[in-house]
Amino acid sequence: MIQYGDDTELDQDFIRASEEVKHLPKRPTDRDLLLLYGLYKQANEGSCKESQKPPIYDLKNTAKWNAWSANSGMSKNRAKTEYISLVENFRKKYA
């Protein structure tokens, strides 16, 4: 895991990674996109505040809720760091 001594550097790398992931040569799998989504939401908003899970028939929003809730309690900085690392892995995986 990357170590950051400064929140500004972390924020810049996070922004860069969130833009970079939009331009991968191949589209990530839905599972990988959900991992990114959960970390992105945690990094920007903190733990999921939606206490009620979407209805089971709402598959898309249920999957997104689960992905975000899986990171509940994680600090925003840790979520940013993990997001950056995941994007770095995806650069190789989806080249």
Side-chain angles (χ1 to χ4, degrees):
M1 187 180 296
I2 304 166
Q3 294 294 318
Y4 289 94
D6 176 314
D7 285 351
T8 304
E9 182 183 357
L10 174 60
D11 290 340
Q12 290 171 347
D13 284 354
F14 177 73
I15 291 166
R16 193 173 309 118
S18 65
E19 287 301 315
E20 188 176 314
V21 77
K22 296 175 188 176
H23 304 287
L24 292 171
K26 296 179 186 170
R27 183 186 185 278
T29 64
D30 289 343
R31 182 182 178 284
D32 284 345
L33 289 172
L34 284 170
L35 290 173
L36 282 172
Y37 175 84
L39 289 169
Y40 185 86
K41 291 291 278 187
Q42 187 70 24
N44 282 298
E45 299 181 35
S47 294
C48 183
K49 293 160 188 63
E50 302 293 325
S51 59
Q52 189 170 356
K53 189 175 187 175
I56 192 71
Y57 58 82
D58 187 353
L59 299 177
K60 181 179 179 179
N61 286 320
T62 297
K64 291 169 88 174
W65 187 90
N66 286 336
W68 186 7
S69 293
N71 298 304
S72 190
M74 181 185 295
S75 74
K76 288 182 176 185
N77 282 353
R78 180 171 171 213
K80 288 177 185 177
T81 302
E82 289 193 18
Y83 183 95
I84 293 163
S85 293
L86 196 55
V87 171
E88 287 176 2
N89 290 334
F90 287 178
R91 262 193 250 135
K92 298 169 193 151
K93 185 175 180 179
Y94 295 107

